[in-house]
Amino acid sequence: MRITTLVDNNPSPADPRLAAEWGLSQCIEVNGRRLLLDMGASDAFARNAGVLGIDLASIDAAILSHHHSDHGGGLRRFLELNDRAPVYLGEVPDGVPT
């Protein structure tokens, strides 16, 4: 298994080209498949994926861990780059604005 953080709130000390933002996105490679866990707050995860050489069109499935904008704000950008991967979303609890 290989986990590559595409964006989080800590700037990369190793590569100043990588954007940081309040949020999270990780590419998980396991058993020959690529999964995207969350999409950060904006399109920064996609820009960082390009810098890291990760083709988001090759993602097999995406998972939105929970209903917060800092984890799903980049969903629209992901769908622009990959129109075939299923996106798994958790159920929104009653009373939570959507």
Side-chain angles (χ1 to χ4, degrees), residues 24-25 36-42 45 62-64 71-75 78:
L24 179 70
S25 180
L36 182 65
L37 174 64
D38 293 336
M39 298 103 203
S42 71
F45 81 101
I63 303 153
L64 184 56
H71 292 260
L75 178 59
F78 174 69

Side-chain angles (χ1 to χ4, degrees), residues 7-87:
V7 75
D8 71 7
N9 60 327
N10 295 309
S12 171
D15 193 337
R17 299 174 299 161
L18 297 173
E21 68 181 11
W22 188 257
L24 179 70
S25 180
Q26 295 179 319
C27 177
I28 303 167
E29 298 174 71
V30 60
N31 298 330
R33 295 183 52 112
R34 278 187 164 175
L35 308 173
L36 182 65
L37 174 64
D38 293 336
M39 298 103 203
S42 71
D43 69 344
F45 81 101
R47 289 182 279 123
N48 288 350
V51 170
L52 295 168
I54 295 174
D55 179 10
L56 294 176
S58 71
I59 296 293
D60 296 300
I63 303 153
L64 184 56
S65 67
H66 64 283
H67 183 68
H68 284 161
S69 62
D70 58 328
H71 292 260
L75 178 59
R76 180 182 309 257
R77 182 63 180 141
F78 174 69
L79 295 173
E80 291 171 353
L81 298 169
N82 187 323
D83 63 358
R84 66 172 187 76
V87 178

